[in-house]
Amino acid sequence: MIVLYLLLLVAGFAALMKGADLFVDGSSALAGNFKISKVIIGLTIVAMGTSAPELAVSTSAALQESNEIALSNVVGSNIFNLLFVLGICAIIYPVPVDKVILKRDIPISIVITVLLLLMTSSGVLFNKDFLQFKMNDIAGDVSRLTGIILLVVFFCYIFYLITDARRKRTEEEEPEEDIPLWKCSVLILFGLVLIIGGGQAVVYGAKAVAQVFGMSETLIGLTIVAVGTSLPELVTSVVAARKGETGLAVGNVVGSNIFNILFILGISSTIHPIGVNVASVYDVIILIGVSILVFLFSMKGKVINRIEGIIMLLIYAADMVFAVIR
């Protein structure tokens, strides 16, 4: 039986990957048909496409009331993106960090993560007996109101990015060959079907595997599910690094992390409030620490070098060991 659950997980991840790929291709082509700027496409449609697996898994988990998977998937994906994806890219080729991302987007990602922590678990976090709580004890929740606030902040952020990109654009982009509208629609619809179906399969398979091995949903969401749903970001960033387009790697990771917290958690908690246990509080604190570390690495020389990349991978390995042991 366990083999079937594992096969379901693999099939779900494969569907998520292919669905996200088709969705991005179809959406980008559709935008091209309507002569929408590539900058806007990258900031909105492509960002949504690469984070579509996380969206599918977290919303599916929220609908199935698997709250631990819904939250730990987002937090785990963000930790994976910062430490593993950027770490691998830095080892392949030192990663320069754009000054705009350094001054605007990385600080924004840190601030919203801190706000998430305060909005969901401040009562337990500042309790003098916090260290005495068990990992499965409830610390708070991501309420519907919090979810709506996250969505409002997200749309304000996207509106600002689009406005800023339009203002700074100085040259016209080369036109591309149009793909027929019907083909764009087929790619988008088929991509969405694969994403939704894959998300359902991953959540079901992950819950079943967790039950068989006696693992918590938080652990399975933080590790297997988080890594699987972050594969589009990993592939995109590694390919960019190999081509020397390392600036794309940082933008992809930071943008995806902001999208994950604001949009995915916003949508998921609006559908169904997400419970936050003490284990997730620790993970969010770790995410804040990791975000600050990456920010400090980026500040030094405006580049993340190979040594720092190795350090990031070692920290990720240590975090996974901590997640398993606890």
Side-chain angles (χ1 to χ4, degrees), residues 244-291:
E245 298 176 356
T246 46
L248 291 176
V250 180
N252 177 41
V253 164
V254 176
S256 177
N257 282 11
I258 293 173
F259 187 91
N260 286 348
I261 291 178
L262 294 181
F263 188 75
I264 294 177
L265 270 186
I267 288 288
S268 301
S269 56
T270 301
I271 292 173
H272 191 284
I274 299 173
V276 179
N277 59 21
V278 172
S280 293
V281 174
Y282 279 106
D283 293 328
V284 176
I285 293 172
I286 290 171
L287 175 57
I288 293 170
V290 165
S291 300

Side-chain angles (χ1 to χ4, degrees), residues 5-6 8-9 13 57 66 69 199-213 215-217 219-221 224-226:
Y5 293 148
L6 291 174
L8 185 62
L9 265 178
F13 284 138
V57 168
S66 299
I69 289 180
Q200 294 281 354
V202 167
V203 172
Y204 182 83
K207 288 177 65 178
V209 170
Q211 291 171 356
V212 170
F213 288 104
M215 301 166 67
S216 69
E217 289 187 3
L219 176 59
I220 204 78
I224 298 173
V225 178

Side-chain angles (χ1 to χ4, degrees), residues 32 101 123 177 218 221 261 278 281 286 297 304 324:
I101 292 177
E177 183 180 351
T218 297
I261 291 178
V278 172
V281 174
I286 290 171
F297 280 168
I304 301 174
V324 173

Side-chain angles (χ1 to χ4, degrees), residues 1 16 18 45 49 65 76 79 92-93 108 131 133 139 151 156 159 161 180 198 208 227 234 251 259 280 305 307:
M1 186 63 71
L16 286 172
K18 187 61 179 177
I45 299 173
E65 298 186 18
I79 293 174
I92 294 173
Y93 194 93
I108 286 176
L131 295 177
F133 285 99
L151 288 175
C156 290
F159 177 77
L161 287 183
V227 172
L234 176 61
F259 187 91
S280 293
N305 59 41
I307 298 298

Side-chain angles (χ1 to χ4, degrees), residues 51-129:
S51 287
E54 286 96 334
L55 177 61
V57 168
S58 290
T59 52
S60 296
L63 287 169
Q64 296 178 30
E65 298 186 18
S66 299
N67 294 336
E68 293 179 30
I69 289 180
L71 178 60
S72 59
N73 172 46
V74 166
V75 176
S77 293
N78 283 14
I79 293 174
F80 181 84
N81 287 344
L82 288 171
L83 292 179
F84 193 88
V85 175
L86 280 185
I88 288 290
C89 291
I91 290 173
I92 294 173
Y93 194 93
V95 178
V97 182
D98 185 90
K99 63 179 182 180
V100 174
I101 292 177
L102 188 59
K103 292 181 179 179
R104 181 188 66 196
D105 301 292
I106 296 180
I108 286 176
S109 70
I110 295 173
V111 169
I112 62 175
T113 308
V114 172
L115 289 177
L116 174 66
L117 180 66
L118 295 177
M119 286 190 296
T120 58
S121 51
S122 59
V124 173
L125 185 65
F126 296 113
N127 188 312
K128 63 180 180 179
D129 297 320

